[in-house]
Amino acid sequence: MTTIKRLNHAVLYVRDARTASEFYQKAFGFEVIQDMNGQAVFLRAAGSDNHHDLGLFSVGPHAPRPEQGRVGLYHLAWEVERIEDLAVMRERLANIGALGGQSDHGATKSLYGKDPDGNEFEVMWMVPRDQWGDYDRQAVVMPLRLEAEVARFGG
């Protein structure tokens, strides 16, 4: 049997790849690997071993935005290394008007937002596996108390 190791990268259709690229650079600190005359832009996350983590393909200014409840991608989840990084991301996303929500999922602590084209994303921190307890087999949604989680899990 073939085993999938992990998701390597994501590719999104966006209205304007350069505009979306600027957002992901500002929000996530991604660096541009290649800009193909604005038709496609490839970005890499700091510290990533991937060639690229996100590809953005321009489809034009009149392309419809994603619609909730339609078949298709719901969101991408980007993982941060430390719970303190999640707190930094909350402030950064709030400052650029991209923070849409936050949840405690037991095994993960998550922030949610949307890019300029309405593509939803999640930024999450994973609780150490040996501390999942009952959340190992549960998918819960609870209010996130990030300050308390930083005090509990912070370095």
Side-chain angles (χ1 to χ4, degrees):
M1 177 177 172
T2 302
T3 302
I4 299 297
K5 181 179 175 182
R6 65 183 176 94
L7 180 66
N8 181 273
H9 66 272
V11 178
L12 298 174
Y13 289 120
V14 294
R15 289 179 173 161
D16 181 275
R18 285 186 173 149
T19 299
S21 170
E22 290 171 11
F23 171 82
Y24 283 98
Q25 289 175 70
K26 187 183 293 183
F28 294 92
F30 287 179
E31 75 171 298
V32 174
I33 300 305
Q34 184 175 12
D35 181 333
M36 301 175 77
N37 298 318
Q39 294 304 304
V41 178
F42 297 90
L43 300 118
R44 182 183 306 141
S48 174
D49 292 329
N50 295 333
H51 174 269
H52 63 280
D53 294 290
L54 183 62
L56 303 167
F57 284 72
S58 294
V59 294
H62 302 294
R65 295 173 61 86
E67 292 182 37
Q68 186 173 359
R70 283 197 142 174
V71 172
L73 180 69
Y74 175 21
H75 67 255
L76 302 172
W78 304 101
E79 184 177 351
V80 294
E81 189 171 351
R82 303 171 317 123
I83 188 71
E84 295 91 345
D85 297 330
L86 194 64
V88 169
M89 285 300 300
R90 182 173 68 178
E91 184 174 340
R92 183 181 302 160
L93 294 174
N95 287 341
I96 62 173
L99 182 63
Q102 49 190 2
S103 296
D104 181 340
H105 298 296
T108 65
K109 313 304 176 188
S110 301
L111 308 174
Y112 294 92
K114 291 185 181 178
D115 74 9
D117 291 290
N119 294 305
E120 189 166 336
F121 59 83
E122 175 182 354
V123 180
M124 49 80 62
W125 176 75
M126 191 172 305
V127 173
R129 182 73 188 248
D130 63 352
Q131 296 181 46
W132 287 5
D134 292 338
Y135 298 122
D136 184 47
R137 299 277 180 195
Q138 296 178 10
V140 299
V141 180
M142 303 176 290
L144 177 62
R145 293 176 178 82
L146 190 52
E147 290 78 10
E149 300 296 348
V150 169
R152 177 180 174 198
F153 293 108

